[in-house]
Amino acid sequence: MKRFYWSLLLLFLWSHLAVEAQTTAKTSALKKRLQARLDSLQKANGFPGVTFAAVLPTGEVIQLAAGLADSSRKEPMKPSHRMLSGSNGKTLFLASALLLEKQGVFRLDDKIEQYLAAEPWLDRLPNARTITLRMLMNHTSGLEEYYELGDFMQKVQQDPARTFTPLECFSYLFDRKPLFPAGTSFGYADTNYLLLGYILEKISGKKLYDIAREQIIKPYQLTRTEPSVKQSFRDLAVGYSRAGGPFPFSGAMVQNGKLVFNPQFEWAGGGFVSNALNLASWAKGYYHFQPVSEDIRTQMRQGVKANTGKDHLYGLGMQIRPGDRFGYGYGHSGWFPGYISDGEYFPELDLALGIQFNTDDLRFLKKSTHTYLLELAQLIVSQP
């Protein structure tokens, strides 16, 4: 009888090892196909470099890179390289906000005037009496983009190392007309998230970066993600910004080991350095954000019509984009001078993807980051 049970156990172990070996072989073959595609895209389009990561339905992780992290030094891009992730960081700030909502600090449809009544500048803010916190979260407030106004860029150019308070940033909107009446349309602007962050820190007495670090970055093991509040970062790829962009800098965004200007002012509008794997992992994590209720998760995924692309929607800190036959993808793209990023989760496939380019020049990218991810997703699902 013992011999019989030992035989069964050995058969089970052999079967398990055989399946594991088969899975590993398939993943290895898939990595080669994906690497070949990345190499081909980089050479054909001419962008400096790219990193890509996938979290497969099996839980297996793929990390790849192509091209150069530093064109002048001919340094190869590696999966470990990091980049400014731009507006993708809104997902971390919004998750932090939802944790405060769970604690009863605020409600999504509270009007901002409830929390800013004592501010002497309240009525200088467009739509001040009609904006709700939800409208800030889904960009339907009617507020325009602060950094395109007044002398903001002149100040950055004159003193690239300077820091800005959130109030300094959104004060550029004071006494201006709104883009539209609050809640009637969509207008994407970092201003919404700076004002949201200002309010939440004021009423909670907590720093959003601290909440994100302790309750999101650590639990979700986003070990390559940190606040972009300085000019030097370990393993930062050199980003290359196009001439004629909104910022008064072009060419290499890292010189002598430092960013050419302080990214600190981006704050709740993005405000993180990350890598492709962390973007992919967190896209899935945010979609399934377990610390909040199912009702809140449903509201996160309920989007308003967005003008960011055909049939695009925007939820609570979440871009919702059509994924062809894959259903909708949930995540967020991001731009910062010299860098373009995206992290997206396709629930119908249980597939999470992340991608980063160290250029913001669309002449080289030729298509959106979302389109790149759809092409790579197709390659993954068509794997024999």
Side-chain angles (χ1 to χ4, degrees):
M1 185 63 72
K2 288 183 178 180
R3 183 176 299 175
F4 172 74
Y5 284 122
W6 274 110
S7 298
L8 283 179
L9 178 60
L10 289 172
L11 179 62
F12 170 79
L13 291 173
W14 179 86
S15 300
H16 177 74
L17 290 172
V19 170
E20 191 175 79
Q22 186 178 27
T23 301
T24 301
K26 288 182 65 175
T27 303
S28 179
L30 175 59
K31 287 179 68 173
K32 290 180 180 178
R33 293 177 66 195
L34 288 167
Q35 184 68 65
R37 179 64 63 86
L38 285 179
D39 290 339
S40 175
L41 289 168
Q42 189 272 327
K43 290 175 182 176
N45 294 340
F47 51 79
V50 58
T51 58
F52 170 75
V55 181
L56 305 179
T58 59
E60 292 177 284
V61 167
I62 291 175
Q63 295 187 79
L64 302 170
L68 299 173
D70 185 333
S71 297
S72 63
R73 297 171 53 196
K74 304 301 181 186
E75 179 185 356
M77 185 73 81
K78 298 177 182 178
S80 58
H81 273 111
R82 303 191 294 170
M83 306 187 201
L84 278 292
S85 59
S87 287
N88 183 277
K90 286 182 173 71
T91 59
L92 291 162
F93 280 103
L94 211 290
S96 302
L98 293 178
L99 292 173
L100 292 176
E101 193 278 341
K102 181 182 179 182
Q103 296 169 14
V105 174
F106 71 96
R107 291 292 176 259
L108 294 176
D109 293 310
D110 289 346
K111 288 186 176 180
I112 65 171
E113 66 173 342
Q114 177 179 337
Y115 303 112
L116 298 176
E119 300 287 359
W121 46 261
L122 174 61
D123 286 314
R124 299 183 65 191
L125 189 71
N127 288 340
R129 300 292 179 177
T130 51
I131 295 172
T132 66
L133 292 169
R134 186 192 299 271
M135 292 175 192
L136 295 178
M137 295 176 180
N138 64 15
H139 300 281
T140 59
S141 67
L143 299 178
E144 60 188 317
E145 192 60 271
Y146 73 92
Y147 60 71
E148 299 173 349
L149 303 175
D151 63 353
F152 181 82
M153 287 301 174
Q154 183 180 346
K155 288 182 177 179
V156 174
Q157 187 174 32
Q158 289 174 344
D159 184 6
R162 72 165 288 170
T163 62
F164 292 82
T165 67
L167 178 57
E168 283 181 286
C169 293
F170 60 72
S171 67
Y172 280 92
L173 277 70
F174 288 173
D175 305 319
R176 294 178 61 83
K177 292 182 179 180
L179 296 176
F180 47 80
T184 64
S185 189
F186 177 87
Y188 188 92
D190 283 4
T191 310
N192 290 296
Y193 276 64
L194 266 63
L195 183 57
L196 174 68
Y198 178 90
I199 293 170
L200 295 184
E201 290 199 346
K202 174 185 174 72
I203 63 179
S204 71
K206 299 177 181 178
K207 298 295 185 183
L208 292 182
Y209 270 135
D210 291 342
I211 297 173
R213 184 183 298 108
E214 295 302 319
Q215 300 192 48
I216 300 168
I217 291 174
K218 287 183 179 179
Y220 283 85
Q221 299 181 352
L222 306 179
T223 57
R224 305 293 290 166
T225 300
E226 68 174 296
S228 53
V229 293
K230 55 187 180 180
Q231 288 178 262
S232 296
F233 298 92
R234 183 168 51 87
D235 298 329
L236 182 67
V238 177
Y240 297 90
S241 189
R242 66 183 178 88
F247 281 74
F249 303 94
S250 61
M253 291 294 101
V254 177
Q255 296 180 13
N256 301 316
K258 293 176 56 177
L259 288 163
V260 296
F261 65 93
N262 189 351
Q264 167 273 339
F265 61 81
E266 188 186 26
W267 189 47
F272 287 92
V273 169
S274 193
N275 76 342
L277 178 58
N278 278 192
L279 297 185
S281 299
W282 174 236
K284 182 174 182 177
Y286 188 47
Y287 179 86
H288 293 293
F289 194 45
Q290 292 301 313
V292 299
S293 68
E294 180 57 38
D295 175 61
I296 291 295
R297 284 195 294 275
T298 298
Q299 293 187 57
M300 286 162 54
R301 305 167 193 162
Q302 289 176 340
V304 298
K305 186 176 181 180
N307 58 10
T308 52
K310 189 175 186 292
D311 297 325
H312 284 200
L313 304 172
Y314 197 96
L316 301 184
M318 180 181 287
Q319 286 182 284
I320 305 167
R321 296 167 285 186
D324 299 331
R325 64 188 183 90
F326 306 143
Y328 275 92
Y330 297 78
H332 216 294
S333 60
W335 168 85
F336 198 83
Y339 305 95
I340 293 184
S341 300
D342 212 330
E344 194 163 10
Y345 176 64
F346 299 92
E348 291 191 17
L349 302 176
D350 189 22
L351 177 66
L353 305 177
I355 198 165
Q356 293 189 300
F357 298 89
N358 61 334
T359 182
D360 61 13
D361 196 331
L362 296 180
R363 294 175 303 169
F364 296 119
L365 296 184
K366 296 183 170 58
K367 50 196 171 188
S368 70
T369 50
H370 175 62
T371 301
Y372 275 98
L373 291 181
L374 288 180
E375 290 182 11
L376 294 165
Q378 177 62 46
L379 196 62
I380 291 171
V381 299
S382 63
Q383 168 79 350

